[in-house]
Amino acid sequence: MKRILIGTIVGYILYALLMAYYLWFGADTSLPADLVGTKADPRTFLTAEEMLLVDEYSKIRNLMYFLSLPFDWVLYFLLILLGGARAIQTWSEKVTRYAWLQGGIYVFWLTLFVTLASFPLSYLRFSLSKSYDITVQPFTGWMRDQLVSFWEGIFIMWLVVAVLYYLIRRFEKRWWMAAWALFIPFVFFLMYIQPVVIDPLYNDFTELQDKDLEEKILGLAAESDIAADRVYEVNMSEKTNSINAYVTGVGGNSRIVLWDTLLTRLKEEEILFIMAHEMGHFVMNHVVIGISGYIVFSFFAFYLVHWCAASVIRKWGEALKIKRLGQLASLPLLLLLLSLVLFVASPITNAVSRHQEHTADVYAIELTGDAEAAIGAFQEITRSSLSEVHPPALVKFLRYTHPPMVDRISYLEKYLKEEE
């Protein structure tokens, strides 16, 4: 056990050094020769100081992503290896004999431990964003959001764990099928309540104050056969200088939302392009396709977690003090395996998402007919969020759910030339 513990720590340190070397020295972020001097070239729309900030910020932010990626895996592994998972279960069983209360106690202490252990990295990400003027939220506001997220996560996780472990104890070999069947309506329920229950916990939402702009946005929605009667704005300027817009919710709770920073940093025609892009997702049923794909994927994910967990307990359960999957002590193992499955699948899901984002760009161009506004919007997004125009291949592969700006702007410039 001592050798495993030391090996885990040393391995994590070596991994961190390898990622740092890759990002600072090994990765190729140079612009393709045929794009030099085009509108996709950051030197044509960023100052020398802004380019330096983008380079610094991107490297540090990417390094922090790669550091945090396996961090929870290490935490869960050490909890299991050192007996912490079993100790929390023993304590919860001493407090109460009711299984659903034991689950709540276990979830609380597990979440608290993981939150405290990962807090330094979370705070570093917040400090980094604030030092580069991306985040403008004060520390007290940031801490409030962390606390809200903490208790929200506990409530949802408690519900999930109570149902999950009931199924595991009731259907030892087929629990994963029952869990998957219940997972489907649960996802739709969360999507339905998110715009009206979860999102307002973090920000204030109001109807768009600029009625002329709202009328133009609703005009685009009408052209796209989207039944919308209002547009919402959210006061993100209290927290960030970045800009964004999105369509959220399902059914009667669907909403078109834009950040108020969008209103101050973009021109009207640029805003209309961004909103047309979001409408493209709706028209092309990207949300439905995404949910359907996620449901199919989750079927195999539940099975893989079940099979791997059963194999681990069968081979090393005695050493880990986990005799059966129905013990609460197995929760860190399930979370570890689920996180690994999601990570392995992330390159595929990211590639699908990038394709959908590109098709939404195409739709928005065809709807608005204004490629210049689209290019201006993407250039301003790059400037406001210090985004990499041409990220390293590994970063794009593992992180990017949207096409890099070099791809988006170069496509728009090509479209513009063809139109001319």
Side-chain angles (χ1 to χ4, degrees):
M1 185 179 295
K2 186 177 180 180
R3 288 197 301 270
I4 295 174
L5 179 62
I6 294 174
T8 301
I9 296 173
V10 172
Y12 182 78
I13 293 173
L14 291 175
Y15 161 80
L17 293 174
L18 180 63
M19 287 298 102
Y21 175 82
Y22 170 76
L23 293 172
W24 262 266
F25 305 105
D28 180 17
T29 58
S30 59
L31 203 66
D34 60 318
L35 296 180
V36 174
T38 67
K39 295 183 179 181
D41 188 341
R43 288 173 294 186
T44 63
F45 62 90
L46 295 179
T47 65
E49 182 181 2
E50 287 171 336
M51 289 186 60
L52 181 61
L53 290 175
V54 166
D55 183 62
E56 292 177 349
Y57 179 66
S58 298
K59 286 177 178 177
I60 300 173
R61 184 180 58 175
N62 288 332
L63 177 61
M64 295 186 71
Y65 163 79
F66 283 114
L67 290 180
S68 61
L69 181 63
F71 192 77
D72 285 353
W73 306 343
V74 173
L75 288 180
Y76 291 138
F77 177 69
L78 292 181
L79 265 175
I80 299 168
L81 182 67
L82 300 179
R86 176 66 181 178
I88 301 174
Q89 175 190 315
T90 302
W91 189 84
S92 65
E93 290 172 344
K94 289 181 179 179
V95 173
T96 178
R97 63 186 180 89
Y98 297 105
W100 66 278
L101 279 177
Q102 291 173 3
I105 294 170
Y106 197 100
V107 166
F108 172 80
W109 286 108
L110 178 62
T111 306
L112 181 64
F113 171 77
V114 173
T115 301
L116 292 177
S118 58
F119 182 81
L121 274 174
S122 298
Y123 178 72
L124 283 174
R125 282 194 294 267
F126 166 73
S127 298
L128 174 69
S129 182
K130 197 170 180 64
S131 63
Y132 281 86
D133 205 29
I134 305 297
T135 296
V136 296
Q137 186 179 27
F139 175 76
T140 52
W142 178 76
M143 276 302 301
R144 175 197 171 279
D145 286 349
Q146 298 301 304
L147 289 172
V148 170
S149 177
F150 175 80
W151 289 109
E152 175 201 334
I154 284 180
F155 177 77
I156 296 176
M157 181 64 75
W158 184 3
L159 176 63
V160 170
V161 166
V163 174
L164 181 66
Y165 275 85
Y166 170 79
L167 295 175
I168 291 175
R169 292 160 184 163
R170 181 75 174 80
F171 311 104
E172 183 177 355
K173 294 183 179 180
R174 295 289 182 267
W175 66 268
W176 61 275
M177 295 184 67
W180 175 75
L182 292 176
F183 169 78
I184 298 172
F186 181 69
V187 168
F188 280 100
F189 173 72
L190 286 182
M191 290 188 65
Y192 184 78
I193 68 170
Q194 181 175 339
V196 295
V197 177
I198 298 177
D199 289 347
L201 293 174
Y202 300 92
N203 299 102
D204 296 325
F205 290 79
T206 61
E207 292 184 24
L208 183 59
Q209 302 302 304
D210 188 338
K211 294 304 176 182
D212 290 336
L213 177 60
E214 182 180 47
E215 184 177 349
K216 293 178 181 178
I217 293 174
L218 293 178
L220 289 176
E223 289 185 51
S224 303
D225 294 325
I226 298 175
D229 58 359
R230 67 189 66 180
V231 180
Y232 292 88
E233 66 175 275
V234 55
N235 64 332
M236 290 301 295
S237 58
E238 295 181 354
K239 297 182 178 182
T240 182
N241 284 320
S242 295
I243 53 183
N244 196 15
Y246 57 91
V247 176
T248 185
V250 293
N253 280 356
S254 297
R255 287 184 174 183
I256 300 174
V257 182
L258 55 82
W259 291 8
D260 59 347
T261 50
L262 199 75
L263 302 172
T264 58
R265 301 198 66 142
L266 294 186
K267 301 174 183 176
E268 183 177 276
E269 58 271 20
E270 294 171 348
I271 295 174
L272 291 175
F273 168 79
I274 296 297
M275 301 312 297
H277 169 95
E278 299 304 327
M279 292 173 193
H281 287 304
F282 185 88
V283 170
M284 291 182 284
N285 296 312
H286 286 167
V287 174
V288 175
I289 294 172
I291 293 175
S292 301
Y294 195 59
I295 288 173
V296 173
F297 162 73
S298 65
F299 178 84
F300 297 100
F302 273 107
Y303 173 74
L304 281 173
V305 169
H306 157 72
W307 183 81
C308 292
S311 300
V312 169
I313 292 174
R314 185 170 57 252
K315 293 180 180 180
W316 301 293
E318 185 175 348
L320 300 175
K321 298 181 181 179
I322 303 176
K323 296 180 180 179
R324 61 187 185 281
L325 193 59
Q327 293 178 255
L328 284 172
S330 68
L331 181 57
L333 174 62
L334 292 177
L335 293 174
L336 170 60
L337 293 174
L338 179 60
S339 181
L340 288 171
V341 170
L342 292 175
F343 169 71
V344 171
S346 63
I348 299 174
T349 57
N350 288 347
V352 172
S353 177
R354 288 195 298 269
H355 172 72
Q356 290 182 336
E357 293 296 334
H358 172 68
T359 56
D361 285 347
V362 175
Y363 179 87
I365 283 296
E366 294 175 349
L367 182 61
T368 62
D370 195 344
E372 285 287 1
I375 293 172
F378 286 146
Q379 288 177 340
E380 183 56 35
I381 290 173
T382 301
R383 182 180 295 106
S384 65
S385 57
L386 298 182
S387 300
E388 283 181 290
V389 173
H390 191 226
L394 185 61
V395 174
K396 175 184 175 181
F397 187 66
L398 294 178
R399 293 201 66 184
Y400 273 56
T401 56
H402 290 60
M405 285 303 179
V406 66
D407 296 338
R408 303 180 85 172
I409 297 177
S410 61
Y411 171 81
L412 291 170
E413 190 168 18
K414 181 180 178 181
Y415 177 92
L416 189 62
K417 290 179 179 178
E418 290 177 352
E419 286 296 301
E420 291 174 350

